[in-house]
Amino acid sequence: MAYSISSLNELIKQFEKLPGIGKKTAQRLAFHILAQPPERAENFAKALVDAREKIHFCSCCQALTDTDLCSVCSDAQRDGSVICVVESPKDVLAFEKTREYNGKYHVLHGALSPLDGIGPEQLKIKELLARLSDNTVKEVIMATNLTVEGEATSSYLSRMVKPLGLKVTRLAYGIPVGGDLEYADEKTLTRALEGRNEI
Amino acid sequence: MAYSISSLNELIKQFEKLPGIGKKTAQRLAFHILAQPPERAENFAKALVDAREKIHFCSCCQALTDTDLCSVCSDAQRDGSVICVVESPKDVLAFEKTREYNGKYHVLHGALSPLDGIGPEQLKIKELLARLSDNTVKEVIMATNLTVEGEATSSYLSRMVKPLGLKVTRLAYGIPVGGDLEYADEKTLTRALEGRNEI
């Protein structure tokens, strides 16, 4: 019989199911857990179950939260007249890290992609439109990804939002900060040229 | 107030503590868990706690096991006259994967490293010597790593084991299978030359 430990194999299997974790890494991580004090495994287990149980979508902006309203929606200091529309909850974290944005968010939970069966009904568009109806919102920033799907979603949404008399803006295309022109693709360079600003 | 979810932060922190997992990856993994059905998190949590609770050292060879004796030690089909001495439990898995070794193992749980405070007492050497005393063992294969510490451990152990009248062998140095001579270092090449075999 070959050497095998069922509970170790199960742990390796669980690690291996994580995105970007291969067989070797999964094994390394499992052995790491075994080499740590038992509290480490218990705390990790608790964090997994807790997060999965407690976290749900904010009833207003659909971002992730473990309270009814997320901390942005419930914060009276944040500017409720601007809504930044993003594809995924991760994008909210990315904007928050800039510490430059003081408006609110709306998470669509995806982007239009007819080939993958994702139409407007699969996204949190209904919820966005409901938020726009109470006249506090003045500007909607389309901050979907700058991909084909993100662009399609952005233009679909702006066709719906503009008739409401709101200002609709889109993230700027251009060269990333610290970017090297040599490695910029033609399309990005063209857009950066078109969007040039006077200095 | 910045956007923050305590149970998500805790989960990210737990992932981040894993070796080789940075902040970005930890965040990606945590979001992955949130996007999966709750059973995924529960099974993962159970596997963590189960493995940590059930797995301990085999009372004979000190490899990891969730039974009293590991599956190699308790297997009467395995050749008890050969013991392969390795540094870590992972090495047992590596040898088992070859499907070529039919003897038993002994896991030292480390290698001699005086600078790190690891002397013979910190390794499972006492347990190895106890296994050698019953005359069933004929050969001890030193399969510690081919590093300075592994070499030191191997030669220390062979000085203890040889006087017992046992055959002591060491893994062969050489060029890895598929290896390119151009990239082999001088020492490896010298050892490969010294250890050349007639064809």
Side-chain angles (χ1 to χ4, degrees):
Chain A
M1 196 174 76
Y3 175 73
S4 133
I5 313 169
S6 60
S7 43
L8 177 61
N9 292 344
E10 174 61 23
L11 183 58
I12 295 176
K13 215 180 75 190
Q14 291 290 340
F15 273 117
E16 218 180 321
K17 277 192 204 163
L18 294 171
I21 305 280
K23 211 175 176 68
K24 279 253 170 179
T25 308
Q27 192 183 305
R28 191 164 50 86
L29 297 178
F31 276 105
H32 166 81
I33 291 292
L34 293 181
Q36 301 283 310
E39 298 77 47
R40 167 76 172 102
E42 285 156 22
N43 292 341
F44 197 167
K46 189 171 172 302
L48 280 165
V49 174
D50 265 14
R52 194 61 192 78
E53 265 178 7
K54 290 187 190 161
I55 297 176
H56 50 87
F57 299 159
C58 168
S59 59
C60 176
C61 75
Q62 314 294 324
L64 298 175
T65 177
D66 50 7
T67 46
D68 174 41
L69 277 181
C70 77
S71 54
V72 171
C73 283
S74 59
D75 184 352
Q77 305 287 311
R78 307 274 306 217
D79 180 2
S81 71
V82 189
I83 289 185
C84 177
V85 178
V86 296
E87 290 182 24
S88 105
K90 269 181 258 193
D91 302 332
V92 174
L93 287 184
F95 274 104
E96 285 300 290
K97 257 194 281 184
T98 68
R99 295 165 186 274
E100 291 292 333
Y101 180 68
N102 195 38
K104 306 225 164 168
Y105 295 97
H106 191 85
V107 182
L108 296 173
H109 290 278
L112 293 176
S113 177
L115 287 177
D116 301 316
I118 302 178
E121 305 76 37
Q122 275 72 47
L123 305 180
K124 306 286 185 184
I125 293 179
K126 205 167 66 252
E127 291 82 355
L128 173 63
L129 297 177
R131 292 177 69 187
L132 301 181
S133 60
D134 69 351
N135 285 323
T136 54
V137 181
K138 306 282 173 243
E139 177 179 357
V140 177
I141 305 173
M142 296 299 170
T144 51
N145 288 332
L146 304 181
T147 56
V148 176
E149 291 83 10
E151 285 294 349
T153 311
S154 160
S155 62
Y156 174 87
L157 280 179
S158 54
R159 277 198 306 274
M160 301 185 82
V161 173
K162 266 188 182 162
L164 306 174
L166 299 176
K167 185 176 169 190
V168 179
T169 54
R170 178 78 175 119
L171 289 186
Y173 269 109
I175 313 292
V177 175
D180 196 324
L181 289 192
E182 196 184 335
Y183 301 113
D185 63 293
E186 305 79 29
K187 281 189 182 157
T188 302
L189 213 47
T190 307
R191 295 290 200 122
L193 202 57
E194 286 170 2
R196 66 190 182 277
N197 300 302
E198 210 167 322
I199 49 174
Chain B
M1 196 177 73
Y3 176 73
S4 132
I5 313 168
S6 60
S7 44
L8 177 61
N9 293 343
E10 174 62 24
L11 183 57
I12 295 177
K13 216 180 73 188
Q14 291 290 341
F15 273 118
E16 218 180 321
K17 278 193 205 163
L18 294 171
I21 305 280
K23 213 177 175 66
K24 279 251 168 179
T25 308
Q27 191 183 304
R28 191 163 49 87
L29 297 178
F31 277 104
H32 166 82
I33 291 292
L34 294 181
Q36 301 283 312
E39 298 77 47
R40 168 77 171 101
E42 285 156 22
N43 292 340
F44 196 167
K46 189 171 171 302
L48 280 165
V49 174
D50 265 14
R52 192 62 191 80
E53 266 179 6
K54 289 188 191 160
I55 297 176
H56 51 87
F57 298 160
C58 168
S59 58
C60 176
C61 75
Q62 314 295 325
L64 298 176
T65 177
D66 50 8
T67 46
D68 174 42
L69 277 181
C70 76
S71 53
V72 170
C73 282
S74 59
D75 185 352
Q77 304 288 312
R78 307 274 308 217
D79 181 2
S81 71
V82 190
I83 290 185
C84 178
V85 178
V86 296
E87 289 182 25
S88 104
K90 268 181 256 191
D91 302 333
V92 174
L93 287 184
F95 274 105
E96 285 298 290
K97 255 194 282 185
T98 67
R99 296 166 186 271
E100 291 292 333
Y101 180 67
N102 194 38
K104 306 225 161 168
Y105 295 97
H106 192 84
V107 182
L108 295 172
H109 289 278
L112 292 175
S113 176
L115 287 177
D116 301 315
I118 302 179
E121 305 75 36
Q122 275 71 46
L123 305 179
K124 306 285 187 185
I125 293 179
K126 208 168 63 250
E127 290 81 354
L128 173 63
L129 297 177
R131 292 178 70 188
L132 302 181
S133 60
D134 69 350
N135 286 322
T136 54
V137 181
K138 306 282 174 241
E139 178 179 357
V140 177
I141 305 172
M142 295 299 169
T144 52
N145 289 333
L146 304 181
T147 57
V148 176
E149 292 82 9
E151 284 293 350
T153 312
S154 159
S155 62
Y156 174 86
L157 280 179
S158 53
R159 276 198 307 273
M160 300 184 83
V161 174
K162 267 189 182 164
L164 305 175
L166 300 176
K167 186 175 169 188
V168 179
T169 55
R170 178 78 174 118
L171 289 186
Y173 269 109
I175 313 292
V177 175
D180 196 323
L181 288 193
E182 198 184 335
Y183 301 112
D185 63 293
E186 305 78 28
K187 280 188 183 160
T188 302
L189 213 48
T190 307
R191 295 290 200 122
L193 203 57
E194 287 170 0
R196 67 190 181 277
N197 300 301
E198 210 167 322
I199 51 174

